[in-house]
Amino acid sequence: MSVKGAIQFTEVTDDSGITFVHTNGASGKFHIVETVAAGLALFDYDNDKDIDIYFLNGAYHDSDPTGKAPRNTLYRNDGNWRFVDVTETAGVGDQGYGLGVAVADYDNDGDTDIYLNNYGPNVLYRNNGDGTFTDVTKSAGLDDGPHMGAGASFLDIDKDGDLDLFVAHYVHCLKEPAAPAQRGGRPAYLGPAVSIYRNTMDTLYRNNGDGTFTDISDASGITTEASAGMGVICGDYDNDGDTDIFVASDMSGNHLFLNDGKGVFEEFALFAGVAYDHHGEEQGSMGLELADTNNDGWLDLYLTSYQNQWVALYQNLGDGTFDDISLKSGASQGSFPKVTWGCGLVDFDNDGDRDIFVACGHLQPHIEHYDNRSTYRQLNILYENKGAGHYTNISEHAGTGLQVNRVSRGAGFDDLDGDGDIDVVILNSCDKPTLLRNDTPSPGHWLQVQLRGVQTNRDGVGAQVRVFAGDLKLLDEVHSGRSYQSDFGKRLYFGLGKQTKIDRVEVAWIGGTKETFTVDQVDRHVVLVEGQGFPLPPKARK
């Protein structure tokens, strides 16, 4: 089913009040960490129903040439595309080297907390519920020493109602390069496969239910394989009721840690068909997403990668394996000369199927001088889902927002203005961010679903939601930590096309309970509380 009107985006950054500028701390020594910064988070930090924005920043390796150390920045959404910097009062202006972020209510107290996966010491900010946060890293048992961070995810590995924490790491630097690499007579960054870097083991922490965590990496089985971790996403790809872990690994096989239901994992990527591309080649894997792209009731996997590699769409075959349909589906058209990072499988026009957004930007600042196939600044990519497993690259026709030329990294997707369609926020390396307002004409009807767990974790992380409306059968799942080192989407968005009636909404909570809700209206945001069977009455937005 399609709805008339092409997907359109308008850039609204300059009028938003956002003045954040990212830095990667580059000083001419070409540290590899400079290439992989950074992610962002979209979430409602103050429970006012508006989605706020948290940008991660880098840091200088040596002395600070500016006299003002870079810091992460939190912007409060005041509505009507106006954002206010509340970093100082909130207490979340970390000055470490930010790479990855995950947000969730880890202590089940009703507000969203922040975990930072840095280059150096990581940070856990507990939300105090009054607009402020407290650094509880040490008391929570998460001050385990410095790593080079990557993606991170909260998930309930054993279905006990507490959110555990998976933390990916990028390479370990055995020694700094004596000098930058040379490409065409220009300095360049070394890749992760050279001998001065070594792949690392990821870390898994069990939530003890008392505000503390315990490192169970070895006992859980996730240290059987080393990787150069980048993006992370956790989800129930085999529909067996527990949460599995996907790790995008840079120039080494990707990982899929299969959960046995009790929090013990087996590495399964090769058998599942997602360790390598359809040629059996390692990818420079960056970001990944899980969503049902063809409405068959199974979560598919999308993976971004490096220049001269196609982005990859892996279709879930429903038997524990995937099929790489990147080329035949059209979901990789135009990606080959680009370096691709953040991504989203999002129904931008609310027609009942998911489109694809890909953030692009090279990591070699002098690439144009020795390779005429690519550029440093790059336009992002938008693929429209045409149905029947086919996508079309519509980037040139999707409005001024797709003509923004930056060096993009993390990307997030949410309804920032409360009008029922999904907008885009992009963190750009060493530049201001990009805010894209969705101005698609005549989009379809929609439903926004927010879960509230009671016996399970309060955010409903790991729960699957199925919406039935006429001939539409839609599936989504609540994730924490996703795409490229970012987090967004605690509210689930379902495009309904021309459907004006919802037959039912089914929720499979992570603890195993299944529940059916009656939702009697479209074009609304509903809160579904575990065990209640009907949505809470809607509350007016500010």
Side-chain angles (χ1 to χ4, degrees), residues 158-200:
D158 49 9
K159 297 174 284 190
D160 65 351
D162 294 317
L163 287 176
D164 311 295
L165 177 62
F166 178 85
V167 183
H169 308 299
Y170 196 46
V171 294
H172 175 65
C173 185
L174 301 176
K175 62 178 180 179
E176 293 293 346
Q182 292 291 314
R183 302 283 188 273
R186 303 277 180 158
Y189 289 99
L190 293 168
V194 301
S195 60
I196 63 171
Y197 303 123
R198 183 181 66 203
N199 285 359
T200 60

Side-chain angles (χ1 to χ4, degrees), residues 40 73 116 123 143 167 235 307 313 540:
L40 59 90
T73 305
L116 302 176
V123 178
D143 55 337
V167 183
Q307 179 190 358
L313 175 58

Side-chain angles (χ1 to χ4, degrees), residues 262-486:
K262 299 178 181 178
V264 177
F265 294 84
E266 177 184 3
E267 213 294 308
F268 202 70
L270 182 62
F271 299 98
V274 296
Y276 309 104
D277 67 12
H278 63 286
H279 295 299
E281 299 287 342
E282 296 173 340
Q283 298 161 286
S285 303
M286 308 293 192
L288 36 69
E289 270 290 281
L290 270 177
D292 184 3
T293 61
N294 57 352
N295 294 341
D296 66 348
W298 297 86
L299 297 175
D300 308 302
L301 180 69
Y302 195 77
L303 185 71
T304 57
S305 57
Y306 195 65
Q307 179 190 358
N308 299 333
Q309 299 171 338
W310 302 106
V311 293
L313 175 58
Y314 294 97
Q315 183 177 330
N316 192 332
L317 301 180
D319 59 0
T321 68
F322 293 82
D323 181 24
D324 185 341
I325 62 169
S326 312
L327 296 180
K328 66 181 181 182
S329 68
S332 61
Q333 181 187 13
S335 66
F336 195 73
K338 301 195 177 191
V339 182
T340 53
W341 304 83
C343 56
L345 300 175
V346 181
D347 186 355
F348 289 114
D349 50 4
N350 290 338
D351 65 349
D353 51 38
R354 292 177 180 272
D355 313 294
I356 304 173
F357 190 100
V358 181
C360 306
H362 218 288
L363 56 82
Q364 298 290 4
H366 304 298
I367 184 67
E368 294 102 322
H369 295 279
Y370 53 86
D371 187 345
N372 60 11
R373 297 168 298 176
S374 193
T375 59
Y376 184 49
R377 292 173 175 263
Q378 298 179 350
L379 299 177
N380 300 319
I381 302 173
L382 177 62
Y383 300 100
E384 183 179 4
N385 190 332
K386 295 294 188 179
H390 297 290
Y391 293 83
T392 299
N393 186 336
I394 62 167
S395 308
E396 294 182 1
H397 311 289
T400 59
L402 270 293
Q403 305 310 309
V404 177
N405 204 23
R406 299 283 189 271
V407 184
S408 298
R409 293 294 186 262
F413 309 87
D414 216 311
D415 183 3
L416 295 179
D417 51 6
D419 64 352
D421 53 34
I422 306 303
D423 311 295
V424 183
V425 183
I426 304 161
L427 184 142
N428 299 310
S429 180
C430 299
D431 209 333
K432 65 181 182 180
T434 303
L435 272 68
L436 301 182
R437 185 182 65 215
N438 189 336
D439 286 335
T440 300
S442 303
H445 294 291
W446 50 273
L447 178 69
Q448 299 179 5
V449 175
Q450 184 175 356
L451 298 184
R452 183 177 298 173
V454 178
Q455 299 301 318
T456 60
N457 69 84
R458 186 175 173 87
D459 281 338
V461 173
Q464 291 193 345
V465 177
R466 298 174 190 267
V467 173
F468 299 84
D471 60 351
L472 288 178
K473 298 178 181 179
L474 308 176
L475 165 68
D476 204 355
E477 183 175 280
V478 183
H479 302 127
S480 169
R482 62 198 305 176
S483 187
Y484 180 70
Q485 302 181 171
S486 297

Side-chain angles (χ1 to χ4, degrees), residues 1 352 445 447 466-474 494-505 519 522:
M1 178 181 296
H445 294 291
L447 178 69
R466 298 174 190 267
V467 173
F468 299 84
D471 60 351
L472 288 178
K473 298 178 181 179
L474 308 176
F494 299 90
L496 301 176
K498 296 180 180 179
Q499 301 295 333
T500 58
K501 180 179 182 297
I502 298 169
D503 300 315
R504 67 186 186 280
V505 178
V519 178
V522 300

Side-chain angles (χ1 to χ4, degrees), residues 94-124:
D94 183 54
Q95 295 181 347
Y97 201 112
L99 293 172
V101 59
V103 300
D105 186 1
Y106 83 91
D107 51 2
N108 288 328
D109 66 350
D111 43 49
T112 304
D113 312 295
I114 305 172
Y115 180 78
L116 302 176
N117 195 6
N118 289 338
Y119 176 38
N122 295 340
V123 178
L124 176 63

Side-chain angles (χ1 to χ4, degrees), residues 10 36 59 65 69 196 202 220 231 259 302 311 321 331 360 364 401 438 445 488-489 514 518 521:
T10 304
V36 294
I196 63 171
D202 300 322
S220 69
N259 193 339
Y302 195 77
V311 293
T321 68
C360 306
Q364 298 290 4
N438 189 336
H445 294 291
F488 55 88
K514 295 184 178 180
T518 299
Q521 295 180 23

Side-chain angles (χ1 to χ4, degrees), residues 207-239:
N207 190 331
N208 299 320
D210 59 0
T212 68
F213 292 82
T214 299
D215 186 337
I216 60 167
S217 305
D218 291 337
S220 69
I222 62 101
T223 56
T224 57
E225 299 282 345
S227 69
M230 297 281 268
V232 172
I233 195 166
C234 301
D236 184 9
Y237 91 96
D238 52 359
N239 287 347

